[in-house]
Every structure is written in structure tokens, then in C-alpha cells.
Amino acid sequence: MDKKAIRLLVFAFFLAVGVSGVLSAETFEYKFATGNKYRIISVVNEDVYIDRVFYSRVRILNRVTVEITDGEGAIAQHNAVFSTSEQSVEGDNTFQLSREYTSTFGRDRLGHITIGSEYYMPVVRNVPVFPDRDIKEGESWTAAGYEMHDFRDSFGIVEPYRIPFDAHYVFLGYREWKGQSYPVFSVSYRIFYEPPPVTGRIWPRRILGASDQLIYWDLETGQAVAYDESFRMIFELSDGRTVEYRGRAEAEIIEAEIMKKEDIAQDIADELERLGITDASVRIDEEGITINLENIQFLPNSAILQEGEKAKLDKIGEILKKFSDRDILVSGHTAMAGTAAARLQTSKDRAGAVANYLVSKGVRNSSQVVVRGYGAERPLADNNTPEGMAKNRRVEITLLEN
């Protein structure tokens, strides 16, 4: 064989395998184990346009906690809680809980979801879906998926609203994320949908959309580790308006470690005693471990912390830093005074003040903190006595199990 033919063969080889070496081929699939828990944390930066004029900008924190209740069959069963919280970009550092959903669904190893039509979450379904074979780097495939939306508040549509699409995938090879190399594939889909009329205040005459995602996959655990997405959705409505959502989302999937609740609760109680914090207590509950800050003091008729309370929160913050791998929930509670709406708003504002202070001190970043207000719905004592009302005016900080 002459030198020219050899050079042509070498050139053809590098075209086939790339500079980095032999093209990789991987088997993508989900893996399940009964009792496994994980959470998905995504932060969405979204702009809203009405009739093509900028209307608002918002940051959304989606926090999804998932437990696999039966991973032994062909379809693994999942229980999940989806919490959606919002933050004004110009406002606070923390996210106020806006809505919470529960969902039960099945998923097979290739990614197909089986779920009842009554569930609003997850929004994007059958993404990703894998072919039942090895996939080579650079190879593409297509699979049907759909989005399910909650249009009760927006359009008065009562049932979960289904929007179909075909998703296109490409295996891009390996890329680094947080210092480790993972196989990465892209997911893209476009939506052009003209649905039939729906009973309600208004309904979408035409829906146009686009989503472009990168998903980092862990072959060992059979689960995504992270993804990022750019999206755009346009709704042309029956009343003549056009509503558009544009944004970017980043997400991380975190496997939950077993929480040794008794040991952690005792550790926190010992620290509270050592630091001389006498008006706080610790309890174990369903969501994790809760520190109850009794009768926390604010300036009159406000959500502004008194200076003495900041010193207490500095000490609480040092305790919380010992468990930095756990997200926290800050919940506000009031005594039975004023209207229900006023009590709810006060509880949200005061919990937000505590959460903002903790974030400002570096105890957690904003995506690790969710704020929730309960008003007077969960009293600890009798509201008919001053002592009872003082106990009910409280802020609680929960180290979340998942």
C-alpha cells in the first residue's frame, strides 16, 4: 500500500472516531431501588410578555422530592412532592412558596411515564426517553412526549392541560460538570398546537413553544445529575391577547442521604443549651428536624427584626452551618389576632425576614431556603391567654430530610 493510500486511511479513521479517540457507545437507562430518595432543585429565570410588551420578571424555585416506593417491577412506582416558590428579581433573596402538588407515577427503565390524568406534575413527561440499544456518540433519536400544565389560575381551565410534542435527542459525548465527566445528550422540541375550545374564562387558540436542553447523565446510578434549558412558550388566547414566557432553567438532582434524626436533634438541643438559647426548642417531624423559635421579636406592626433577635439568629446560623447539605424551610406562625388574610401575610413576611437574614449571613444560599406562612392555622397553645399567644407567635426552621 502506498503512502497516499495510508494517509487516506488514517484521515478516514480520524473522521470516524474524532481526535479524542474511539467513539463511545453507551446504554442509557433508568435504574431504580425501593426506598431511594432524591430531590431536584431547579431555578428558573423567566420574563413574561403580554401582547409582545414586557410585563414582569420572576425567579422561580422548583423543589421536587421523590421517593421510589417500589422499584422491583418493570415499572417503578414514585411518590413525589412538587413545590413551586417565587422571588421578585428586585426583591428579597429568598423564595416564597406559591404552590405545592403531590403526584404518584410509574416509570420504566427507558423513561416512559405512567400517570393518572388528574395529576398536574411533573410538567414535562416522557423526557428523556431512550431507545432500547447502545447509543453511539453523535447518534440521534426521536421520541414522543408531552407537557401538562396547570391553567386554573391563568385561564380558568380546571383539568390538567396536555400539550404534545416530539423530542429530538443527540448523544454529544462526555463533558465535565462539577469536576466529573458525564455523558451528555441534547433534547430539543418544538410545539405548534391548535387545540379545540375548552370551557373556561378564556382558552388558548394556538400554542407555540421551543425547549432546548442539555442533560448530564450518571450511567452508574441511572439518573440525571443536572440539566440546563432555554425555553419559550407563546399562547394566543381566545380573547385576542398573546402571553409569552421566555427563560432559562438550571437544575441539579441530589440523592438524599439517610437522616439520623434522633442524633441530629440531640446535637442541636445540646448546642442550643451550650449557647444559652432558652426560648427555642427542637422536635422531630415528618419533614425533618424543626427548631422552634418561640415569641421571636419584631418591631411593632412590622416584619423588621429587633436587634436582639439578630444576635440569636447568628447563633442559630452557626448550628445550621453544621448541616449545610440539608435545605431548610422557614415557616411563620401568628396568634389569633386580626383577619385571616392579615395573619397569613404577617406570617409570610416575618418568616421571610428570618430567611433573608440567614441568607445574608451565608448560612445557606437562596436556592436552599423556602419560606412558608401559615397564619394562625397551626397553634401550639391556647390563643385565649397571653402566654399561649406568645407561644403561637413563632418562626420555625426545619432541616429538611429530602
Side-chain angles (χ1 to χ4, degrees):
M1 183 180 293
D2 62 23
K3 291 182 179 180
K4 181 179 180 181
I6 293 173
R7 285 198 300 271
L8 288 172
L9 284 174
V10 172
F11 179 67
F13 172 79
F14 277 104
L15 281 178
V17 303
V19 177
S20 60
V22 179
L23 281 172
S24 57
E26 305 292 0
T27 300
F28 291 95
E29 62 180 3
Y30 282 88
K31 298 177 182 178
F32 310 106
T34 302
N36 273 12
K37 296 181 180 181
Y38 61 92
R39 64 186 180 274
I40 304 168
I41 305 295
S42 75
V43 177
V44 182
N45 292 288
E46 181 179 85
D47 291 343
V48 182
Y49 293 79
I50 296 179
D51 294 332
R52 297 179 177 83
V53 176
F54 176 77
Y55 177 73
S56 67
R57 177 168 294 158
V58 67
R59 296 187 76 211
I60 302 168
L61 175 68
N62 295 309
R63 190 178 192 279
V64 187
T65 61
V66 184
E67 180 179 4
I68 299 173
T69 57
D70 182 0
E72 308 309 316
I75 298 178
Q77 299 302 315
H78 300 62
N79 284 347
V81 178
F82 297 77
S83 301
T84 300
S85 306
E86 294 188 6
Q87 170 198 72
S88 170
V89 173
E90 295 82 13
D92 292 341
N93 293 321
T94 54
F95 293 87
Q96 287 274 359
L97 182 72
S98 58
R99 199 147 209 166
E100 194 166 81
Y101 305 82
T102 59
S103 182
T104 299
F105 59 90
R107 176 180 271 142
D108 68 18
R109 67 181 184 86
L110 298 180
H112 301 98
I113 284 180
T114 304
I115 187 171
S117 60
E118 71 272 22
Y119 292 111
Y120 292 96
M121 294 289 176
V123 171
V124 181
R125 302 179 185 180
N126 295 345
V127 173
V129 163
F130 304 115
D132 194 9
R133 55 179 168 77
D134 286 352
I135 303 170
K136 294 180 180 179
E137 184 178 336
E139 188 175 352
S140 62
W141 68 100
T142 300
Y146 64 101
E147 294 189 2
M148 194 69 87
H149 287 265
D150 183 356
F151 285 159
R152 288 174 293 182
D153 294 340
S154 302
F155 308 140
I157 298 173
V158 176
E159 301 297 328
Y161 194 88
R162 191 177 191 272
I163 304 173
F165 58 78
D166 288 324
H168 303 280
Y169 300 81
V170 180
F171 176 25
L172 301 174
Y174 277 73
R175 297 185 184 180
E176 191 170 289
W177 188 79
K178 287 193 172 181
Q180 295 191 51
S181 181
Y182 294 98
V184 174
F185 51 89
S186 63
V187 188
S188 298
Y189 57 86
R190 301 294 180 263
I191 293 170
F192 183 89
Y193 184 48
E194 294 182 328
V198 176
T199 301
R201 295 194 302 269
I202 51 178
W203 52 275
R205 290 183 183 273
R206 181 177 295 161
I207 302 171
L208 302 96
S211 172
D212 295 289
Q213 305 174 29
L214 282 181
I215 299 180
Y216 297 75
W217 194 262
D218 190 325
L219 295 168
E220 183 178 349
T221 64
Q223 181 64 271
V225 292
Y227 69 83
D228 62 67
E229 177 192 18
S230 62
F231 63 89
R232 186 177 184 184
M233 292 289 287
I234 302 171
F235 298 91
E236 297 178 2
L237 305 177
S238 58
D239 64 358
R241 289 183 303 146
T242 298
V243 180
E244 180 178 353
Y245 303 90
R246 303 179 193 171
R248 293 196 63 87
E250 295 182 349
E252 181 178 1
I253 294 85
I254 306 165
E255 190 166 357
E257 296 182 8
I258 296 174
M259 192 179 206
K260 298 179 180 178
K261 290 185 177 181
E262 290 79 8
D263 292 346
I264 295 174
Q266 187 59 56
D267 190 2
I268 292 173
D270 292 343
E271 284 294 292
L272 290 173
E273 183 178 359
R274 183 183 68 82
L275 294 169
I277 303 174
T278 58
D279 54 351
S281 58
V282 184
R283 70 173 186 272
I284 295 171
D285 53 34
E286 187 175 315
E287 292 183 293
I289 298 166
T290 296
I291 303 172
N292 175 23
L293 305 179
E294 300 173 5
N295 199 25
I296 190 163
Q297 298 295 309
F298 296 85
L299 296 180
N301 302 313
S302 79
I304 300 173
L305 285 161
Q306 292 192 7
E307 288 302 316
E309 298 302 301
K310 293 180 181 179
K312 181 197 300 182
L313 288 176
D314 288 339
K315 296 177 181 179
I316 296 291
E318 291 304 312
I319 298 174
L320 294 172
K321 285 180 180 179
K322 294 178 62 177
F323 311 98
S324 58
D325 57 328
R326 301 287 175 182
D327 295 349
I328 62 174
L329 166 68
V330 183
S331 54
H333 305 262
T334 67
M336 187 64 75
T339 66
R343 292 193 297 267
L344 181 60
Q345 191 59 52
T346 297
S347 66
K348 288 180 179 180
D349 292 344
R350 291 184 170 182
V354 171
N356 272 306
Y357 186 79
L358 294 174
V359 170
S360 74
K361 292 295 183 177
V363 176
R364 292 291 190 278
N365 64 53
S366 60
S367 65
Q368 293 177 289
V369 182
V370 174
V371 175
R372 181 186 295 168
Y374 287 102
E377 292 178 8
R378 297 188 176 187
L380 293 179
D382 187 353
N383 273 305
N384 292 319
T385 68
E387 295 79 13
M389 293 181 73
K391 282 185 174 292
N392 292 332
R393 285 190 294 266
R394 67 193 191 279
V395 172
E396 296 182 334
I397 302 170
T398 303
L399 284 170
L400 294 167
E401 183 174 20
N402 188 15

